[in-house]
């Protein structure tokens, strides 16, 4: 199975109740993705957070209140944080790899790296 199958990885429902510290994303194939906001913020893929080279890694700090989720094109979500940071574009494929559910996430989830 191709891990970067965009059809499979398209979110069909995003549940981020106001005040919640975890967002749930249901994908087209039925997978229930789990995203603690500290992980989502730490793995913000933007150049400001990640620099311009190397894999995407966990960067601690930053506001972890998720204030807005917007779809970008048909391939990504843009997340806006309580401190106004909004340059992170999370592709559906990246979100799928970032999933922290029991099935996908093992060990210390802040130690993972992701290719760009
Ligand atoms: Zn960022």
């Amino acid at each position: 199975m191709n891990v970067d199958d965009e059809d499979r990885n398209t979110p069909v429902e995003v549940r981020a109740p106001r005040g919640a510290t975890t967002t749930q994303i249901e994908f087209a194939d039925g997978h229930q993705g789990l995203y603690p906001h500290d992980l989502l913020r730490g793995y913000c893929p933007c150049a400001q957070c990640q620099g311009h080279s190397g894999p995407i890694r966990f960067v601690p700090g930053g506001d972890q209140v998720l204030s807005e989720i917007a779809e970008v094109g048909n391939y990504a979500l843009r997340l806006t944080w309580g401190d106004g940071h909004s340059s992170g574009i999370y592709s559906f494929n990246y979100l799928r790899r970032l999933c922290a559910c029991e099935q996908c996430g093992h060990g210390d989830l802040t130690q993972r790296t992701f290719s760009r």
Side-chain angles (χ1 to χ4, degrees):
M1 189 150 53
N2 179 5
V3 70
D4 283 337
D5 180 343
E6 277 195 17
D7 290 335
R8 189 173 72 102
N9 295 341
T10 298
V12 292
E13 195 181 341
V14 178
R15 283 183 294 272
R18 196 166 291 278
T21 56
T22 298
T23 286
Q24 285 177 276
I25 298 177
E26 181 179 338
F27 291 93
D29 68 349
H31 189 77
Q32 302 283 346
L34 208 61
Y35 300 89
H37 291 172
D38 57 333
L39 283 175
L40 266 183
R41 178 63 195 255
Y43 281 108
C44 177
C46 86
Q48 188 185 329
C49 293
Q50 298 294 336
H52 290 279
S53 62
I56 296 171
R57 68 206 186 286
F58 183 78
V59 179
D63 192 298
Q64 291 161 15
V65 174
L66 191 50
S67 61
E68 198 182 331
I69 301 173
E71 192 164 336
V72 177
N74 258 331
Y75 76 100
L77 300 180
R78 175 191 292 274
L79 304 187
T80 301
W81 299 95
D83 56 4
H85 188 71
S86 64
S87 41
I89 307 282
Y90 297 65
S91 74
F92 298 158
N93 290 336
Y94 178 53
L95 282 169
R96 184 61 180 250
R97 285 183 284 153
L98 204 55
C99 181
C101 82
E102 275 183 36
Q103 192 184 331
C104 300
H106 304 285
D108 184 347
L109 298 182
T110 65
Q111 295 302 310
R112 299 178 296 174
T113 59
F114 301 93
S115 57
R116 301 190 186 226

